[in-house]
Amino acid sequence: MVNDAWAARTELTAILITVPELAAYTDRWRSVSRSSARPHVPLTELIPPHVTVLVPWVVEPTEDDVDRLRAVTRSVQPFDLSFPTAGQFPNGTAWLRPEPFDAVRGLLASVYAAFPECPPYGGEFADPHPHLTISSSKQGGPTVVAEAQTVLDAEPAPVVRLAELGLWREDKNGVWSQFDTVPLGG
């Protein structure tokens, strides 16, 4: 979804919907897919399965920044997420679509409004499409999408409860780690 120059940046922060419960399900694709910026490392070693809410976020998040995010999440009650459909972006990146899609998109829009100084993906996309990447642009494409949809139709991905947003930081090697969470609904 993002260009190679943007993807090569490191030491970013992000707000993510992490779904580690899907790792056993998505690793069949993510373990053989590599970021164009880090071709020697599978996606599974960089970051768990997730839906990006906002990246890049603030460089050094303060308590005020976290409080701004809490003000957004306080009004959003936890809800169940499913991933029934596979698709791809024009660059070949294969993904799973989170449902209820409008609820996820609404959450993202609320976070964007709270952090206008942090345009999603550095402003590269006017209206980002919420998704869970299963294969990067180099290894993705119609074959991965068709395989994923066949698997989804035969064995649906686990339904997960979205109860919090994760706050993540990337190190200089492109590996992400969670440093905090913000609950939904409180």
Side-chain angles (χ1 to χ4, degrees):
M1 179 167 165
V2 297
N3 68 41
D4 290 348
W6 196 95
R9 296 174 56 189
T10 60
E11 301 182 75
L12 301 173
T13 61
I15 303 168
L16 305 176
I17 297 169
T18 52
V19 285
E21 305 89 341
L22 266 69
Y25 190 88
T26 61
D27 279 1
R28 66 186 94 193
W29 302 291
R30 294 180 80 247
S31 66
V32 296
S33 183
R34 282 140 170 79
S35 161
S36 59
R38 292 158 199 84
H40 58 288
V41 182
L43 293 178
T44 53
E45 292 181 27
L46 295 175
I47 194 165
H50 67 280
V51 175
T52 299
V53 175
L54 182 59
V55 67
W57 190 34
V58 295
V59 176
E60 288 297 329
T62 65
E63 192 57 39
D64 287 343
D65 297 318
V66 176
D67 286 344
R68 267 199 289 170
L69 182 58
R70 282 190 186 109
V72 170
T73 61
R74 195 171 292 122
S75 64
V76 179
Q77 292 305 308
F79 58 94
D80 289 340
L81 277 180
S82 64
F83 296 86
T85 308
Q88 76 177 59
F89 292 117
N91 73 355
T93 298
W95 44 259
L96 302 182
R97 177 183 165 120
E99 294 291 350
F101 187 78
D102 289 341
V104 174
R105 181 170 262 188
L107 175 59
L108 273 60
S110 296
V111 171
Y112 301 162
F115 294 94
E117 73 279 18
C118 302
Y121 300 100
E124 190 170 339
F125 304 99
D127 186 21
H129 182 279
H131 65 283
L132 187 158
T133 297
I134 58 171
S135 187
S136 70
S137 60
K138 302 291 189 230
Q139 293 86 29
T143 303
V144 172
V145 173
E147 177 186 327
Q149 193 60 57
T150 298
V151 170
L152 287 165
D153 291 344
E155 173 197 348
V159 173
V160 296
R161 186 79 173 157
L162 176 57
E164 65 186 20
L165 298 180
L167 307 183
W168 289 73
R169 182 180 319 278
E170 183 186 30
D171 69 19
K172 65 182 177 181
N173 297 314
V175 177
W176 291 83
S177 59
Q178 188 169 333
F179 65 89
D180 204 351
T181 61
V182 173
L184 297 185

